[in-house]
Amino acid sequence: MAAPTAGSRIRIVIEDTVESTDSGTLRTTGGVYIESLGKPGTATVEVLEPGWQLGDIVHDGRDQLVRIDKGDGIHVWQRPNGYVTYDDETSLASLRVIRSATP
């Protein structure tokens, strides 16, 4: 079972989009917040579609964003002016895919 990442489609009891994950917690774009997923792989979370990948290009209604690694293993969105936008600083559910990094 793959671990959920930002942008992953998941199934628990609901189906939603992961907005952020951190230290055993999970927040979805639909407003669901789950604490204590436990050790990786112990929760019953089915990943239906993979999350955002490095190189994905989307539009958030204002700018075209590209998915990058900011150098420390943290994946973020970068705006044309170079400004970095974290997943919890935008509505991931409203992003329109321009080009997916993976076919």
Side-chain angles (χ1 to χ4, degrees), residues 17-59:
T17 303
V18 174
E19 185 165 308
S20 62
T21 61
D22 184 36
S23 303
T25 64
L26 182 132
R27 183 181 308 274
T28 71
T29 56
V32 174
Y33 180 77
I34 300 171
E35 253 185 85
S36 302
L37 286 174
K39 295 177 185 173
T42 60
T44 305
V45 176
E46 181 182 353
V47 177
L48 304 175
E49 296 174 22
W52 300 109
Q53 303 296 313
L54 294 176
D56 284 350
I57 299 173
V58 299
H59 197 279

